[in-house]
Amino acid sequence: MKAKIKSKLETDKHVPLQNVIPLDTPFLIYLDPSSRCNFKCSFCPSGYNELMSEAGYERSIMNLDLFKKFINDLKEFNQPIKVLRMNKIGEPFLNKNLHQMISYAKESGAVQFIDLATNASLFSKDKLRDIIHAGIDRLNISIEGVNKAQYQEYAKINIDFDKLVENIQWLYQNKNQCEINIKIPADYINESEKQDFFSIFGDYCDRIFIENLSPIWPYFDIEEHSGIPIRNNKGQYDQELIEKEVCTYIFYSVAVNADGTVSACCPDWQQKLIVGDIKNESFYKIWNSYEINKLRRLHLEGNRRNNLICRNCGHINFSQVDNIDQYREQLLNKFIDHI
């Protein structure tokens, strides 16, 4: 097998957050080219239309002009952002302008690295050529089974599995500088099928990994919806679980939704933590706004659970590898001086 068994996490490039926050420029920005998805995965809120409607969530596709406005806004920062991650809750390849967005961001000089997560079902040679030529740096591919029947069961989609594999093979053989990472939920497959996963994809990616399903979405009971018991001793990336009080994401990252609103964090699928709207204001101002700073201060003061969304979020413990709890008071003083 050519691929390393390794998650997408860049732990070797880790920067101790307690040494750098508050940040003048975000490290990471999630941006959703499409809040629509063609899958109905049982572990994801996007798979439940009624649930999304009840939350008031409107699925949309980001238009190219709005995206360009966002990229131009990034030039107000004194340095480029490290990573633009072009996904949140939707399937990026549903946006027909995806390759133009990537190209515009790469040519802007405002972004150092661009990646995205995709289910790979909409791959074609033409689409893949376009995004490779545009300069995508990494593709994180989520696999939902090792055969057609599992895709039908877990993603509720009738997929040509052989074609999916063929497209991924072609991608790897023609990827140029692009890194290819592939993952699958451990909870879907038995030990024999894990070996099938490695055999099918292990020679056609740079990294391959088996993740744990984790309760990362606020107010979404993953056990109830998926019917799969969640392991409470290991996180999404098989790391040891540590109970934490301070969310680290809100200090180095935000999420731009497909409609232009900005959420304080990526897991905000209900869009209840809106801190601005790039249609009406500059992203630079949103990053430094009263709304988001109020939330950051709430966490540093030890009052995360006073926020109804943050109180119910499992992302902090199951997916975040940083832990700044012990530096909370020190950072609060720095934060007050900063704002």
Side-chain angles (χ1 to χ4, degrees), residues 160-308:
D160 184 338
F161 185 74
D162 292 338
K163 186 65 175 177
L164 176 81
V165 174
E166 179 185 324
N167 283 331
I168 292 174
Q169 291 174 343
W170 187 93
L171 167 64
Y172 185 72
Q173 292 161 354
N174 296 273
K175 69 187 183 75
N176 295 338
Q177 85 293 339
C178 182
E179 179 184 327
I180 310 299
N181 297 342
I182 298 180
K183 64 165 178 120
I184 194 172
D187 314 74
Y188 284 178
I189 52 179
N190 58 36
E191 291 304 314
S192 174
E193 289 166 340
K194 289 178 183 179
Q195 295 310 309
D196 292 341
F197 170 64
F198 289 132
S199 297
I200 295 168
F201 298 104
D203 285 333
Y204 301 101
C205 58
D206 299 290
R207 301 190 205 180
I208 194 166
F209 196 69
I210 300 176
E211 288 188 1
N212 299 316
L213 287 184
S214 300
I216 63 173
W217 306 103
Y219 293 97
F220 179 79
D221 191 325
I222 191 171
E223 287 188 337
E224 177 185 340
H225 287 93
S226 70
I228 296 173
I230 298 301
R231 297 170 62 188
N232 289 315
N233 62 331
K234 293 289 183 179
Q236 183 176 358
Y237 306 106
D238 218 33
Q239 78 275 23
E240 180 184 356
L241 278 187
I242 300 174
E243 186 71 25
K244 290 172 279 190
E245 284 300 315
V246 181
C247 173
T248 56
Y249 258 41
I250 58 176
F251 292 94
Y252 69 86
S253 174
V254 291
V256 181
N257 301 306
D259 62 2
T261 58
V262 179
S263 289
C265 67
C266 182
D268 180 30
W269 66 274
Q270 297 170 296
Q271 297 187 189
K272 302 297 185 184
L273 291 178
I274 299 299
V275 293
D277 190 330
I278 62 171
K279 293 191 297 295
N280 308 319
E281 52 196 324
S282 102
F283 179 80
Y284 178 86
K285 289 182 178 179
I286 295 172
W287 175 253
N288 295 288
S289 67
Y290 169 80
E291 288 78 9
I292 195 167
N293 280 331
K294 180 181 178 182
L295 184 65
R296 291 165 179 157
R297 182 166 181 170
L298 184 78
H299 280 241
L300 290 177
E301 289 174 339
N303 295 320
R304 169 174 69 87
R305 298 174 196 277
N306 289 349
N307 182 285
L308 295 180

Side-chain angles (χ1 to χ4, degrees), residues 14-33:
H14 183 77
V15 175
L17 289 177
Q18 65 272 13
N19 295 339
V20 294
I21 56 177
L23 290 169
D24 292 323
T25 305
F27 283 166
L28 166 67
I29 300 174
Y30 286 86
L31 180 138
D32 220 5

Side-chain angles (χ1 to χ4, degrees), residues 93 120-129 163 167 170:
F93 276 81
S121 66
L122 299 176
F123 280 3
S124 69
K125 291 179 182 178
D126 287 342
K127 290 179 181 178
L128 292 172
R129 281 194 195 98
K163 186 65 175 177
N167 283 331
W170 187 93

Side-chain angles (χ1 to χ4, degrees), residues 303-319:
N303 295 320
R304 169 174 69 87
R305 298 174 196 277
N306 289 349
N307 182 285
L308 295 180
I309 302 300
C310 298
R311 176 196 302 172
N312 194 257
C313 182
H315 196 277
I316 296 174
N317 295 329
F318 281 85
S319 292

